[in-house]
């Protein structure tokens, strides 16, 4: 009997398609007094970023609700769901609520929800590993166990020029936010084991910041495997970091891409997000 498998996530993953498997993404929303941006394939991310950089009013984000998640589940028999960190978003909570409702209506189905404790390129790495495990034909329990273990061996670093939106939405303190951008300061940090933001270094200028990221990648166990760099309208600095990584870690495969809406909103113009596999 054919297994009807679907992988789902929210739009914080920056992933719009996952080739070779049935895949869906539930969009988050970025909300201002003037406009609501739906973080789906239709969103002009660069235009949104430019609009937000000059916007002076209040802004917020909205996670997928239970109905949104149920729509992504469709009528699949096996569902593997990966969400943005539950420490900073309600997306994981609503996905878990959707799982319970789905299982009540489909008692023969199996639904696994993983809190990534992260966002962006780290989730993208987890999704790619999920695809690999599914295509190998592993059973439900094996996939759940292996993807949980894999997620413990991935990490996320970030470089931010501004933390205005993070501070305005309560993700970091106003004092911490004021450090970013002050006299050319770039803040380097990581997604902590709890799934919140941990600030590591204050760097004067982008060059110093990407050199610091390189050092931190080595410290946190990068030796081979994959790295994904999401940039927020800052391709030049992303390319510079990619070249440094490839030079220092010759066995590492590095991908560079433009972040989607949610990650761009929080990382803001100039920001970098770096997902990596560690040993």
């Amino acid at each position: 009997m054919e297994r009807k498998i679907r992988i789902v996530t929210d739009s914080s993953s920056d992933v719009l398609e996952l080739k070779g498997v049935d895949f869906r993404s539930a969009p988050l929303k970025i909300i201002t007094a003037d406009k609501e941006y739906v973080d789906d394939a239709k969103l002009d991310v660069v235009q949104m970023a430019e609009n937000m950089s000059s916007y002076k009013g209040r802004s917020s984000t909205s996670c997928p609700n239970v109905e949104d998640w149920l729509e992504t589940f469709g009528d699949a028999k096996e569902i593997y769901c990966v969400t943005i960190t539950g420490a900073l978003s309600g997306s994981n909570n609503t996905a878990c609520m959707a799982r319970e409702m789905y299982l009540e209506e489909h008692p023969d189905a199996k639904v696994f929800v993983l809190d990534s404790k992260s966002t962006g390129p780290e989730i993208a790495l987890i999704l790619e590993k999920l695809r690999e495990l599914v295509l190998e034909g592993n059973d439900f329990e094996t996939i759940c166990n292996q993807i949980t273990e894999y997620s413990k061996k991935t990490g996320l670093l970030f470089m931010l020029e501004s933390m205005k939106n993070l501070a305005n939405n309560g993700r970091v303190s106003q004092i911490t936010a004021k450090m970013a951008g002050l006299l050319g300061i770039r803040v380097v940090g990581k997604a902590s084991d709890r799934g919140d933001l941990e600030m590591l270094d204050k760097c004067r200028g982008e060059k110093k910041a990407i050199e610091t990221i390189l050092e931190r990648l080595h410290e946190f166990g990068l030796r081979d495997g994959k790295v994904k760099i999401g940039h927020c309208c800052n391709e030049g600095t992303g390319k510079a970091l990619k070249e440094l990584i490839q030079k220092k870690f010759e066995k590492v495969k590095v991908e560079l891409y433009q972040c989607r809406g949610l990650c761009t909103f929080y990382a803001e113009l100039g920001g970098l997000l770096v997902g990596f596999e560690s040993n």
Side-chain angles (χ1 to χ4, degrees):
M1 184 175 178
E2 183 181 358
R3 297 162 65 185
K4 195 169 185 179
I5 300 172
R6 178 171 288 182
I7 297 174
V8 302
T9 187
D10 57 48
S11 61
S12 73
S13 68
D14 292 331
V15 178
L16 294 174
E17 63 175 345
L18 204 57
K19 293 181 179 180
V21 293
D22 188 6
F23 173 77
R24 296 291 188 278
S25 175
L28 288 98
K29 298 176 182 177
I30 298 95
I31 303 164
T32 72
D34 306 321
K35 189 175 179 64
E36 181 178 276
Y37 301 93
V38 179
D39 189 13
D40 59 16
K42 299 177 183 177
L43 178 63
D44 186 334
V45 175
V46 175
Q47 185 64 58
M48 184 203 78
E50 292 173 351
N51 292 346
M52 293 302 302
S53 68
S54 59
Y55 177 71
K56 304 299 182 184
R58 294 183 60 84
S59 59
S60 61
T61 59
S62 174
C63 69
N65 58 35
V66 173
E67 289 74 22
D68 294 329
W69 281 117
L70 288 173
E71 183 177 347
T72 67
F73 291 177
D75 61 351
K77 297 299 183 183
E78 286 183 39
I79 299 165
Y80 303 93
C81 174
V82 186
T83 75
I84 188 175
T85 173
L88 300 177
S89 171
S91 186
N92 182 263
N93 185 55
T94 55
C96 290
M97 292 171 63
R99 175 185 61 195
E100 298 308 311
M101 292 179 63
Y102 192 83
L103 291 175
E104 287 180 6
E105 296 183 8
H106 305 83
D108 295 332
K110 298 177 181 180
V111 184
F112 175 71
V113 178
L114 176 69
D115 181 348
S116 72
K117 297 185 173 13
S118 190
T119 191
E122 184 175 1
I123 300 182
L125 289 171
I126 294 170
L127 292 171
E128 288 187 355
K129 184 65 174 180
L130 257 178
R131 175 180 61 189
E132 176 185 319
L133 292 169
V134 166
L135 293 177
E136 286 174 350
N138 294 287
D139 61 33
F140 182 78
E141 294 300 328
T142 299
I143 293 174
C144 294
N145 291 334
Q146 290 197 16
I147 201 61
T148 299
E149 289 305 308
Y150 176 80
S151 69
K152 297 175 183 177
K153 298 178 181 179
T154 59
L156 180 77
L157 289 169
F158 55 83
M159 180 203 78
L160 305 177
E161 292 186 21
S162 170
M163 292 189 286
K164 178 187 70 174
N165 292 334
L166 283 169
N168 289 344
N169 284 269
R171 272 53 176 182
V172 299
S173 70
Q174 292 289 346
I175 294 175
T176 299
K178 287 179 180 178
M179 293 189 304
L182 183 65
L183 300 176
I185 295 295
R186 304 290 185 268
V187 175
V188 172
K190 71 170 184 173
S192 75
D193 293 339
R194 300 179 302 276
D196 56 11
L197 305 180
E198 182 179 340
M199 305 306 160
L200 299 173
D201 305 283
K202 293 177 286 185
C203 306
R204 183 66 61 85
E206 284 189 336
K207 184 175 184 294
K208 178 61 176 176
I210 62 175
E211 290 172 351
T212 299
I213 289 175
L214 196 69
E215 294 169 0
R216 290 291 188 176
L217 285 170
H218 185 271
E219 175 186 341
F220 295 140
L222 176 66
R223 297 295 183 270
D224 50 27
K226 298 179 182 178
V227 171
K228 289 183 179 291
I229 304 170
H231 71 87
C232 299
C233 306
N234 193 5
E235 186 176 11
T237 304
K239 284 182 176 179
L241 177 59
K242 178 179 179 179
E243 290 172 2
L244 286 174
I245 293 172
Q246 290 175 323
K247 184 176 181 179
K248 184 176 180 66
F249 306 98
E250 294 180 356
K251 296 181 180 180
V252 169
K253 180 181 178 181
V254 187
E255 177 190 347
L256 175 67
Y257 69 92
Q258 166 70 49
C259 291
R260 297 298 305 163
L262 192 282
C263 286
T264 294
F265 174 74
Y266 280 121
E268 300 188 52
L269 285 176
L272 296 179
L273 302 175
V274 185
F276 61 95
E277 296 178 336
S278 67
N279 290 322

